[in-house]
Amino acid sequence: MYGHFTTFDKRKQQAILTACLPVKFDTPTIDKLTLLADLRHWEKTLQELQFHQDVIDIRPLPRDPNYSYYVETASDFQITVAHPSASVQHLRIEFNPNKCNPIDSVWHWLLPKMKNKRISRLDIAIDYQQDLSLWQPTTEKPRKMARWNAPNGKLETTNLGMRKSGNQYRIYDKRAEQIHNHIEPAHDI
């Protein structure tokens, strides 16, 4: 994201320019990573996978046109497995590196059994330490922008770019999301 924000309110623009207050934020972190890969030995790996200590359950996905199985793990890796004849890569693994537990996880066992590995999605989180509802983020090149407001008029989410473009920015109030989902915020966001 480009390095500046602009406000909608002209008086606030002047106040900000006068005060020269920078936007304060925490260090960026990886919030979600999606890895796609093929398996070297699909059938053998799937049979062995069900006995791994990290695997809680393997259940079929009857309504998914691409993936046949969902693997639930104790370590918070979300794994879906496609049939070898499917037109997609065999494995889709999603996880939050900040929340998953790689020790004794299926990750270390599965990694050497994969080939053609690639990252298909990478979400980066930046926690801003102020209310951004009066700010409009900008990027180096023009992008579509969508904004969602709460019933009280306060900005909840801004999306820059389109989801299908492979390069989308989503800015939202994480603290409000955590409160809405009855999750205690880790710190003042």
Side-chain angles (χ1 to χ4, degrees):
M1 182 159 318
Y2 200 58
H4 69 274
F5 289 84
T6 56
T7 179
F8 294 109
D9 186 316
K10 294 286 183 194
R11 288 176 289 174
K12 290 192 184 205
Q13 282 180 353
Q14 185 61 41
I16 289 166
L17 288 173
T18 304
C20 294
L21 295 175
V23 175
K24 297 176 187 174
F25 59 89
D26 290 345
T27 304
T29 59
I30 296 175
D31 194 48
K32 184 181 206 177
L33 183 70
T34 302
L35 179 75
L36 299 178
D38 290 318
L39 290 170
R40 295 185 192 283
H41 306 286
W42 186 89
E43 194 171 317
K44 180 181 177 194
T45 303
L46 196 58
Q47 287 172 355
E48 292 173 1
L49 182 63
Q50 63 186 328
F51 299 109
H52 193 279
Q53 65 186 13
D54 187 34
V55 174
I56 296 171
D57 189 22
I58 299 177
R59 55 185 173 273
L61 295 170
R63 293 192 176 120
D64 192 317
N66 295 316
Y67 290 93
S68 305
Y69 301 99
Y70 174 76
V71 180
E72 183 180 356
T73 68
S75 57
D76 281 337
F77 287 92
Q78 297 151 14
I79 303 170
T80 48
V81 182
H83 193 273
S85 63
S87 61
V88 296
Q89 288 187 275
H90 300 152
L91 285 179
R92 178 184 174 97
I93 303 171
E94 292 185 11
F95 62 98
N96 180 333
N98 300 308
K99 295 182 180 176
C100 69
N101 178 12
I103 310 279
D104 297 326
S105 74
V106 71
W107 176 254
H108 294 293
W109 176 83
L110 203 50
L111 200 56
K113 297 174 181 347
M114 293 186 238
K115 63 182 181 178
N116 305 323
K117 298 177 273 275
R118 68 184 177 96
I119 294 172
S120 69
R121 179 176 175 164
L122 177 68
D123 293 1
I124 298 174
I126 302 173
D127 294 336
Y128 291 91
Q129 302 300 320
Q130 61 195 71
D131 180 11
L132 297 177
S133 63
L134 298 174
W135 296 78
Q136 178 180 335
T138 59
T139 58
E140 291 178 357
K141 62 181 184 177
R143 297 182 184 278
K144 286 192 173 198
M145 184 182 337
R147 298 169 65 89
W148 287 270
N149 294 318
N152 65 5
K154 184 178 176 186
L155 178 69
E156 285 190 344
T157 304
T158 300
N159 283 350
L160 287 170
M162 297 175 58
R163 177 182 262 171
K164 291 182 181 180
S165 74
N167 193 0
Q168 181 187 42
Y169 302 99
R170 174 172 288 158
I171 302 165
Y172 64 98
D173 187 344
K174 182 70 173 182
R175 188 171 202 285
E177 178 196 49
Q178 290 174 332
I179 291 168
H180 176 76
N181 292 331
H182 307 291
I183 300 170
E184 185 67 33
H187 57 80
D188 239 0
I189 297 174

